[in-house]
Amino acid sequence: MNWNIPNILTLLRLLAAPGVAVMFLYFARPWADWFALILFIGAAVTDYIDGYLARAWKQESKFGAMLDPIADKAMVIIALLVIAGFSGMNPWILIPATVIIFRETFVSGLREFLGDTAGTLKVTNLAKWKTTAQMVAIAVLFASGLYEHEFIDRTTGMDDATLAAIMEGEIEDTLGLFWYLSAASVSFAIGVGLLIVAAILTLITGIDYLRKAMPHLKEET
């Protein structure tokens, strides 16, 4: 195993995946949302950087090629589990998340079964767009939770009449409550929309991989 910078970045991305969930065990919200969002975005950025550096510095390796898709899938699946859990199993999140997790598990199993033949299932441009859509959707949904709990944090202990007066403009909104509530709603809608798009792309690429693998799955006669 060659411990070059691209491989180290890939390994750090893999370790960051469970770290996203751990943030919610050790920190109260919205701090947990802040840390999870920063960790996730930082890890997602390394997905581009490690591949770029490996190609630019001619440091591509079997270890990196093996670890890179594992790190991507671990990041996406763990983050989706966290988001689905904190959403109260909202079907708008649960259904596309289930599609994504099912496809990633299926393709991983397919590649494992094919062994050396799996090298013929090249990563397509659509699959790269799929991964990008997944990560952007997850980042936006983390931001939605952040805005929501910033709103909750600022209204803790506030009576309903005062809150209503602020939201209706009768009392000056010095805490930015209207902005946080609007940001939470808009980012949630955008995040769900992107997640649905990601699920569709994920399903299409999964079917494409299965179609390409079918000749290798036929029984010998």
Side-chain angles (χ1 to χ4, degrees):
M1 181 170 24
N2 188 0
W3 287 109
N4 52 44
I5 292 179
N7 285 346
I8 292 173
L9 289 175
T10 303
L11 181 60
L12 290 176
R13 187 165 78 259
L14 178 63
L15 296 176
V20 169
V22 170
M23 294 300 103
F24 292 90
L25 295 178
Y26 290 97
F27 299 98
R29 303 182 76 178
W31 287 109
D33 298 85
W34 274 109
F35 295 145
L37 177 61
I38 293 170
L39 185 61
F40 184 84
I41 291 177
V45 169
T46 67
D47 186 29
Y48 169 78
I49 295 176
D50 59 15
Y52 173 80
L53 293 180
R55 291 187 296 272
W57 295 348
K58 301 187 185 305
Q59 292 182 344
E60 295 171 293
S61 64
K62 290 183 178 180
F63 176 74
M66 176 275 296
L67 197 61
D68 187 70
I70 295 175
D72 288 345
K73 288 175 173 56
M75 279 180 58
V76 169
I77 291 174
I78 292 174
L80 286 176
L81 289 174
V82 171
I83 291 171
F86 281 114
S87 72
M89 295 301 175
N90 186 319
W92 287 104
I93 291 178
L94 185 60
I95 293 174
T98 300
V99 171
I100 291 172
I101 293 173
F102 175 81
R103 181 272 187 193
E104 300 294 9
T105 304
F106 178 83
V107 170
S108 295
L110 184 63
R111 285 182 174 278
E112 181 179 354
F113 176 79
L114 292 176
D116 293 338
T117 312
T120 61
L121 303 180
K122 300 295 184 182
V123 176
T124 63
N125 288 329
L126 188 60
K128 294 178 181 179
W129 278 107
K130 174 267 301 181
T131 301
T132 301
Q134 289 176 354
M135 293 187 174
V136 173
I138 289 170
V140 173
L141 288 171
F142 271 133
S144 176
L146 186 158
Y147 295 135
E148 178 186 354
H149 282 81
E150 285 285 359
F151 176 83
I152 293 172
D153 193 43
R154 283 164 168 73
T155 56
T156 300
M158 185 180 295
D159 60 87
D160 293 340
T162 301
L163 177 58
I166 293 174
M167 300 308 293
E168 291 172 5
E170 298 174 3
I171 298 177
E172 184 181 0
D173 184 10
T174 57
L175 298 175
L177 300 182
F178 184 80
W179 186 89
Y180 278 110
L181 188 60
S182 300
S185 299
V186 172
S187 57
F188 181 80
I190 294 174
V192 168
L194 289 172
L195 190 64
I196 292 173
V197 171
I200 293 171
L201 293 176
T202 301
L203 187 61
I204 292 172
T205 56
I207 293 173
D208 182 54
Y209 278 127
L210 178 60
R211 180 183 61 80
K212 291 177 180 178
M214 285 304 294
H216 306 289
L217 300 176
K218 292 181 179 179
E219 298 288 346
E220 296 182 1
T221 57

